[in-house]
Amino acid sequence: MNIGIFTESYTPYVNGVTVSVTTFAESLRRRGHTVHIFTPFMPGYEDNDPFVHRYPSVRFNWLWLQYEPDYVMAIGRAPGLQYILRWFFRAEVFKLRERGVLDRYIEDLPLDLIHTQSPFAMGAEGRRWANRKRIPHISTFHTLYTEYTHYTPFIPRPISLRFILNWTRKQYNTASVVIAPTESARDVLRSWGVHRPISILATGIHIGDFQGGDRAGTREKLEIPADALALLYAGRMAPEKNIPLLLDAFRTVRAKRPDAVLVFAGGGPDMELTRKVVAEGGYADCVRFPGYIPHEKMRDYYAAADVMTCPSHTETQGLALCEAMAAGLPFISVESPGALSVVPQGYLDYLIPADADTMADRVLSLAGDPAERARLADLGRETAHLFSAETAGEKLLEIYGSVVS
């Protein structure tokens, strides 16, 4: 099959959508299928993959419109939009003159189906091409968009919510099939009024990528003593990730375990703010900020930690939890749709409400119980195989086959 994936997020920008697109594209290509990826142009970055095609994009420079300093968004097709973006919003616009070349390329491309990864600019573009070519359109629901209205503080929340619900309902109700990563995500879509067929398919992980990490070497690099209690946060640092809860819990843990160290393996718009809060709180010496960690290095950080903590309640799948289970790293997570869908029965005591004291209690309990950590490590490794990339790739092909045929 010839498959066109339209996505807002892709390398070098890293988030759960990028990981999902990359993982599924690799799986499909290994099976002999051709995958074209259409995504916004990222200034200063060159693709090595000839099947990645970059759309005109925009980067906002006004502080209240900056998602992140390096974040770009695709430009829609509304007449005169580029002038509004440049003159009124003082935005940088990239690759605008190349839209016509890209249009002619896609027009001649013999695609069998289009798979969009969001309902917004690139999702609408993918839907447009699916209609034009009269081919199936599949769309994946990755994100609880209603939990992200803080990125547009200049728009009253009720207005943002109404727009999100109306727009996403319209986009998903035009798809041949909608993919949701979990049953709870499917229920959210139904509550929003999405009536199209919904298939449940979580992003898979390559189990071996997260095993056999270098515990001693990574601790030495991070200046963590061999016998210290190391807590890990793995993911983007952004408002929706609820990092203040984790910092509050860590203060309590430190009061009872002065040897505790917290590692933030990731980056994002809240990283500098978190550094400032940590410094002002007087515990900068026990918090590490290694920044974004390449995928191939994450096994070392999982190996170096004793417990992973996930304070976010907005996860639709929780890829980091699956990775931690593959690595044999016990975790404590705030209840979220994603966490509830991947955590096995024997792990439920470590799914907690969004409460810092409860998180601290669970961390301290696990820290003092090596036998329980070993039990959770074994259970996690067994469970992780249910989320292998190989299995997920086969299921995705079944979904594709059902609409193409």
Side-chain angles (χ1 to χ4, degrees), residues 260-276:
V261 176
L262 174 60
V263 179
F264 284 101
D270 275 6
M271 184 167 74
E272 291 308 315
L273 174 62
T274 305
R275 284 182 186 272
K276 181 179 178 182

Side-chain angles (χ1 to χ4, degrees), residues 176-253:
S176 306
V177 173
V178 179
I179 294 176
T182 63
E183 292 181 359
S184 57
R186 177 198 60 196
D187 295 343
V188 168
L189 288 171
R190 292 299 187 212
S191 73
W192 289 358
V194 176
H195 57 72
R196 299 299 295 164
I198 298 177
S199 296
I200 308 298
L201 177 61
T203 301
I205 62 171
H206 297 290
I207 307 295
D209 287 356
F210 304 101
Q211 298 176 340
D214 181 4
R215 179 180 175 88
T218 306
R219 283 198 167 218
E220 182 178 358
K221 181 170 63 177
L222 294 172
E223 298 182 351
I224 300 174
D227 58 349
L229 171 63
L231 308 183
L232 176 69
Y233 171 86
R236 290 180 66 247
M237 301 179 67
E240 65 275 8
K241 300 302 183 180
N242 205 15
I243 289 172
L245 183 145
L246 174 55
L247 294 178
D248 288 344
F250 183 65
R251 290 189 194 97
T252 302
V253 170

Side-chain angles (χ1 to χ4, degrees), residues 362-381:
R362 292 292 193 280
V363 168
L364 290 167
S365 175
L366 267 183
D369 192 342
E372 178 68 353
R373 294 203 305 273
R375 182 188 74 83
L376 293 175
D378 291 340
L379 179 59
R381 292 188 191 98

Side-chain angles (χ1 to χ4, degrees), residues 12 41-46 59 94:
F41 173 76
M42 183 68 75
Y45 180 77
E46 288 191 18
R59 181 166 59 196
F94 307 101

Side-chain angles (χ1 to χ4, degrees), residues 49-97:
D49 183 350
F51 293 95
V52 173
H53 314 285
R54 296 285 177 170
Y55 259 78
S57 64
V58 58
R59 181 166 59 196
F60 294 105
N61 294 318
W62 281 14
L63 180 62
W64 48 271
L65 276 177
Q66 280 189 313
Y67 285 74
E68 297 182 31
D70 59 347
Y71 193 81
V72 297
M73 294 184 289
I75 300 176
R77 290 180 177 269
L81 178 60
Q82 68 270 27
Y83 301 112
I84 296 174
L85 293 172
R86 279 174 171 153
W87 295 342
F88 184 75
F89 291 106
R90 303 177 190 173
E92 296 178 87
V93 175
F94 307 101
K95 292 279 188 177
L96 191 62
R97 295 180 179 177

